[in-house]
Amino acid sequence: MELIQNTPEISAYLAADEVIDHEHPRVRAAADTLSVDAPDAYAYAKAAFEFVRDTIPHSHDADDPRVTWRASDVLAQRTGICYAKAHALVALLRAEGIPAGLCYQKLEVIHGLVAVRLPGEERWARQDPRGNKPGVDAQFRLDREQLAFPARPECNELDLPVLFAEPHPVVLQCLREAVDRPHLWQTLPTDL
């Protein structure tokens, strides 16, 4: 899928902010650890993806009531839903100078993804760090997408084509206002 950047400057997809706080010591420490065995940007991006996918449980799968939204908090608390895990992966990628952004799917609710643009690549590649479980097998790939949930047009699901440098305001508001995950589940956005 071809993504449309909401900001034309690539520098926007490297920036730090309150959510994608890749300058935070916790994010920097995780990036430093992951980069030790990564000889190039591809190896690092794959390692960061697998780290977020495999070591930070999706809070729904783990029945964890906590709601995280800031990348450093996701890493500290080791929990998050798809949006929060995407924030953590984007922060880890940007911490190593790899352009990364946020994109979304419209499923039953809005689902959060990451897009990465590795050096030498001309296109953004969508990745889904949500976390695998029976029936879900998301993998880091550049040759083709292997997301947790392929959009099913027959069910009115679709891939939203816009690549955001920052979390969509509707998503961020939903996360910030949730008192716990059960409350969050009642307020997840169904459209952007």
Side-chain angles (χ1 to χ4, degrees), residues 105 124 138:
Q105 292 176 300
W124 293 91

Side-chain angles (χ1 to χ4, degrees), residues 26 55-70 72-85 174-185 188:
R26 186 173 293 113
T55 70
I56 301 171
H58 189 285
S59 57
H60 178 70
D61 295 348
D63 198 26
D64 190 326
R66 297 174 293 167
V67 176
T68 54
W69 52 270
R70 183 179 291 115
S72 58
D73 293 338
V74 174
L75 295 176
Q77 295 183 37
R78 290 283 200 257
T79 190
I81 68 165
C82 61
Y83 312 132
K85 291 182 69 157
C174 175
L175 289 169
R176 283 182 168 163
E177 292 178 356
V179 294
D180 58 19
R181 192 184 43 77
H183 177 253
L184 176 63
W185 239 237
L188 287 173

Side-chain angles (χ1 to χ4, degrees), residues 4 11 29-30 38 41-42 44 47 79-80 92 95 97 113 115 126 134 146 151 155 157 172 182 187-188:
I4 303 161
S11 62
Y42 176 86
Y44 175 81
T79 190
L92 288 170
L113 304 170
R126 292 190 314 161
Q146 191 166 340
C155 297
E157 297 176 350
L172 193 52
T187 62
L188 287 173

